[in-house]
Amino acid sequence: MSRTSTMTSSLRVLPLHCSRSDGKRYDESRFPPTHQLAQPGDEQPWLAKLGELLRDQLFPGSDRTFVLDAFPENYHLRVRNRNDGSHHDFYLYGYPETEGEEPRGRQPALKSYRSPADFFDHLLWLITDPENDRKNCYCRHCRPPLEIADRAPHAAVLVQPRPEPLGTHPTVPGGGIPGPAVPAMATPGTMASSTAPTTPMATATATLAPPTSLVTGQLYDEADLFRVGEVVWYRNMQQAFRLGIVVQNQPAGSQSYASSIIKPLSHSRNAIDNVQRPHVEMRPFLTFSVPPVHAALQAVVHQPMASVQWDVLESTLPFEEKTRAQMLSLEASKIAACHTDHSFSLFNPVSRWAAPHAPVNQQAFGGVFFGCEKIGMFEAARVRVDDTEYVKNKDVEYTFAFVIQSIVLERLDIDNKERLLFQGDIWHLQESASPQHAPNQDQLPRAMRREKAFRDKVASVRGVHFDWVRVLANVTKTEDAIRGRFYESEKLGPILYQSEWEPSLQQGVVPSIEMRLNNRGDSLGPHIGRKRSRIDTFAGAVPPGNVLFLQGVTEWPGEPQAVAYPA
């Protein structure tokens, strides 16, 4: 094997270490005579399977390989060989005898685990339970079988969000709006105000039935163009674009297109039914700019939406009475989208047992609702590249991708503030006429690999291909350096370019997606910062009592800290 391929393989394999153990050593006489110590090589399938199970919990959505580096201290594997030599039975020993089980006279049989899946609940408890309370473990030795059978399924539990105090969103002196909006594509009709009626979502905090700090299940939406919990544009019946929240995706069938169920954005006093739209009638939020809010609502633009008395406000609007409610809903949806664009909330906290060397003022997460989008660890994001990082960093024809290795919330000593950090590698997509493709392409996120494959197919008529080339490794970027999600050209390009798309492809050219996208935070309004949950972000933009089911997401209950707002 070449040195390059060895390095590639090692980069894709990430070891996990369990630094806590309740394991106990026993005298050899306590083990059945037929249960002999296993060979070191016998442990590898167990450690690999346990690493795979932990990956699904700690880093959902990742396509990397995770391996548990060793069993917790004092746990070890034994094997019983069948008489006919046809099979080997394995047993993982080390589980402690609890009080009342200590030997008195005849010694009881030691407890063991028969498979990686059998041991996994106990391992997860060792890694994730900060209380170290055995009652929180759901393995068959820590809990009676009846309790395990009766436990609730791993499901999110939604609770009503607490209202935020007034002043959380600062007002701008004179009622002005700081900063201009950055325009994106100027397709006729698409820049019209987006409004949306909404049957909103209630603020919710997700917890798991077994009290762990990790999420059960994987994030299945890495390849989805529109993700549950994101704010998107959709066409209403009048063919104008409005704003709403994706609450469910419907895959394409033999007789139907892929579609999404959307909860229109509005305000808390306006209950609007969900709508279903095919993806061809939808756009990611960053494809259009949010039009300015009507002057009559400038006084509430920078207030938390949950604090606005919408009924009173409606009666004062300078619109015709028959259109007043509709206009208020439209303007409120703009405010809600801008507030969301300048906010974020974190989910799937990584247990400190899984990151024992992390600074005490940092908490790592598996993903973030970043403005109107959802981004996960080990995914690609669009990134601002500095002059010192790459010469032609401002060329919109250049495609950069930031492969996120960690998402961290860092508490600062100054005024109890905090900041959101992203760590990872910056890659540049380069055209090449070389017959050889660059190495290491298989270690990239699937979206980047699909992007390369699509561009290679299109560019083959010109006798060239594309390679992802790493520009910088282990870069730390602040919140304002992340432009948004990385979108695949094959999926978004036809929507953005429409009739221009196919003629370009026939010439062997893939039009730039970057040219047609805004950046997170380009909308009007001040920076808001972290919210307690995704539902909390939408508080006031939808009627109370509505819920948002986020599969594979455990929202972090950490209290938001002080953030700096523009003067």
Side-chain angles (χ1 to χ4, degrees), residues 236-255:
N236 67 3
M237 293 305 180
Q238 289 73 42
Q239 294 301 300
F241 275 93
R242 297 292 184 258
L243 288 158
I245 309 158
V246 177
V247 297
Q248 185 179 349
N249 283 323
Q250 303 284 351
S254 58
Q255 304 294 325

Short mmCIF file of all heavy atoms in Angstrom, two decimals, residues 236-255:
data_model
loop_
_atom_site.label_atom_id
_atom_site.label_comp_id
_atom_site.label_asym_id
_atom_site.label_seq_id
_atom_site.Cartn_x
_atom_site.Cartn_y
_atom_site.Cartn_z
N ASN A 236 -46.78 30.50 -3.55
CA ASN A 236 -48.16 30.32 -3.10
C ASN A 236 -49.06 30.20 -4.32
O ASN A 236 -48.61 30.15 -5.46
CB ASN A 236 -48.58 31.46 -2.17
CG ASN A 236 -48.66 32.80 -2.90
OD1 ASN A 236 -48.46 32.88 -4.11
ND2 ASN A 236 -48.96 33.85 -2.17
N MET A 237 -50.35 30.17 -4.08
CA MET A 237 -51.29 29.95 -5.19
C MET A 237 -51.30 31.11 -6.18
O MET A 237 -51.72 30.96 -7.33
CB MET A 237 -52.70 29.71 -4.64
CG MET A 237 -52.82 28.40 -3.87
SD MET A 237 -52.29 27.00 -4.89
CE MET A 237 -52.55 25.64 -3.75
N GLN A 238 -50.85 32.28 -5.73
CA GLN A 238 -50.79 33.44 -6.62
C GLN A 238 -49.45 33.51 -7.36
O GLN A 238 -49.14 34.50 -8.00
CB GLN A 238 -51.02 34.73 -5.83
CG GLN A 238 -52.44 34.92 -5.33
CD GLN A 238 -52.78 33.99 -4.18
OE1 GLN A 238 -51.96 33.80 -3.28
NE2 GLN A 238 -53.98 33.42 -4.19
N GLN A 239 -48.62 32.46 -7.18
CA GLN A 239 -47.32 32.36 -7.84
C GLN A 239 -46.28 33.33 -7.29
O GLN A 239 -45.22 33.51 -7.89
CB GLN A 239 -47.46 32.55 -9.36
CG GLN A 239 -48.23 31.44 -10.04
CD GLN A 239 -47.58 30.08 -9.83
OE1 GLN A 239 -46.44 29.87 -10.23
NE2 GLN A 239 -48.31 29.16 -9.21
N ALA A 240 -46.59 33.99 -6.19
CA ALA A 240 -45.58 34.81 -5.52
C ALA A 240 -44.84 33.94 -4.51
O ALA A 240 -45.39 32.96 -4.01
CB ALA A 240 -46.24 36.00 -4.81
N PHE A 241 -43.61 34.31 -4.22
CA PHE A 241 -42.83 33.53 -3.26
C PHE A 241 -43.12 34.01 -1.84
O PHE A 241 -43.18 35.20 -1.57
CB PHE A 241 -41.33 33.65 -3.55
CG PHE A 241 -40.86 32.67 -4.58
CD1 PHE A 241 -40.81 33.03 -5.92
CD2 PHE A 241 -40.48 31.39 -4.24
CE1 PHE A 241 -40.39 32.13 -6.89
CE2 PHE A 241 -40.04 30.49 -5.18
CZ PHE A 241 -40.00 30.85 -6.51
N ARG A 242 -43.30 33.05 -0.96
CA ARG A 242 -43.52 33.31 0.46
C ARG A 242 -42.50 32.54 1.27
O ARG A 242 -41.76 31.71 0.74
CB ARG A 242 -44.96 32.89 0.86
CG ARG A 242 -46.04 33.69 0.13
CD ARG A 242 -46.02 35.15 0.58
NE ARG A 242 -47.09 35.91 -0.03
CZ ARG A 242 -46.95 36.75 -1.05
NH1 ARG A 242 -45.76 36.89 -1.61
NH2 ARG A 242 -47.98 37.43 -1.53
N LEU A 243 -42.48 32.78 2.57
CA LEU A 243 -41.49 32.17 3.46
C LEU A 243 -42.16 31.19 4.41
O LEU A 243 -43.25 31.45 4.92
CB LEU A 243 -40.78 33.24 4.28
CG LEU A 243 -39.79 34.10 3.50
CD1 LEU A 243 -39.54 35.42 4.21
CD2 LEU A 243 -38.48 33.35 3.30
N GLY A 244 -41.51 30.05 4.64
CA GLY A 244 -42.07 29.07 5.55
C GLY A 244 -40.99 28.14 6.08
O GLY A 244 -39.83 28.19 5.67
N ILE A 245 -41.40 27.26 7.00
CA ILE A 245 -40.50 26.32 7.66
C ILE A 245 -40.78 24.92 7.14
O ILE A 245 -41.94 24.49 7.13
CB ILE A 245 -40.70 26.36 9.18
CG1 ILE A 245 -40.62 27.80 9.70
CG2 ILE A 245 -39.69 25.48 9.89
CD1 ILE A 245 -41.32 27.97 11.04
N VAL A 246 -39.76 24.21 6.73
CA VAL A 246 -39.94 22.82 6.30
C VAL A 246 -40.21 21.96 7.53
O VAL A 246 -39.40 21.91 8.46
CB VAL A 246 -38.69 22.30 5.57
CG1 VAL A 246 -38.86 20.82 5.19
CG2 VAL A 246 -38.41 23.13 4.33
N VAL A 247 -41.37 21.30 7.56
CA VAL A 247 -41.71 20.44 8.69
C VAL A 247 -41.65 18.96 8.34
O VAL A 247 -41.59 18.11 9.23
CB VAL A 247 -43.10 20.80 9.27
CG1 VAL A 247 -43.11 22.21 9.80
CG2 VAL A 247 -44.19 20.62 8.22
N GLN A 248 -41.66 18.64 7.04
CA GLN A 248 -41.56 17.24 6.64
C GLN A 248 -41.23 17.17 5.15
O GLN A 248 -41.71 17.99 4.37
CB GLN A 248 -42.89 16.50 6.91
CG GLN A 248 -42.84 15.01 6.64
CD GLN A 248 -44.16 14.33 6.94
OE1 GLN A 248 -45.05 14.93 7.53
NE2 GLN A 248 -44.31 13.09 6.53
N ASN A 249 -40.39 16.20 4.79
CA ASN A 249 -40.07 15.97 3.39
C ASN A 249 -40.75 14.71 2.89
O ASN A 249 -40.84 13.71 3.61
CB ASN A 249 -38.55 15.84 3.20
CG ASN A 249 -37.86 17.18 3.21
OD1 ASN A 249 -38.38 18.17 2.70
ND2 ASN A 249 -36.67 17.23 3.80
N GLN A 250 -41.26 14.76 1.67
CA GLN A 250 -41.91 13.63 1.04
C GLN A 250 -41.07 13.21 -0.17
O GLN A 250 -40.90 14.00 -1.11
CB GLN A 250 -43.32 14.01 0.58
CG GLN A 250 -44.23 14.54 1.67
CD GLN A 250 -44.74 13.42 2.56
OE1 GLN A 250 -44.56 12.25 2.27
NE2 GLN A 250 -45.39 13.78 3.66
N PRO A 251 -40.52 11.99 -0.16
CA PRO A 251 -39.70 11.56 -1.31
C PRO A 251 -40.52 11.40 -2.58
O PRO A 251 -41.75 11.25 -2.53
CB PRO A 251 -39.13 10.22 -0.84
CG PRO A 251 -40.13 9.72 0.17
CD PRO A 251 -40.66 10.95 0.86
N ALA A 252 -39.84 11.45 -3.68
CA ALA A 252 -40.52 11.28 -4.97
C ALA A 252 -41.02 9.85 -5.10
O ALA A 252 -40.36 8.90 -4.67
CB ALA A 252 -39.57 11.61 -6.12
N GLY A 253 -42.20 9.70 -5.69
CA GLY A 253 -42.74 8.37 -5.96
C GLY A 253 -42.86 8.15 -7.45
O GLY A 253 -42.47 9.00 -8.26
N SER A 254 -43.40 7.01 -7.83
CA SER A 254 -43.52 6.70 -9.25
C SER A 254 -44.46 7.66 -9.97
O SER A 254 -44.33 7.90 -11.17
CB SER A 254 -44.03 5.26 -9.43
OG SER A 254 -45.27 5.09 -8.76
N GLN A 255 -45.42 8.25 -9.21
CA GLN A 255 -46.39 9.15 -9.81
C GLN A 255 -46.32 10.57 -9.23
O GLN A 255 -47.23 11.36 -9.43
CB GLN A 255 -47.81 8.60 -9.59
CG GLN A 255 -48.03 7.20 -10.13
CD GLN A 255 -47.93 7.15 -11.64
OE1 GLN A 255 -48.32 8.09 -12.34
NE2 GLN A 255 -47.39 6.05 -12.16
#
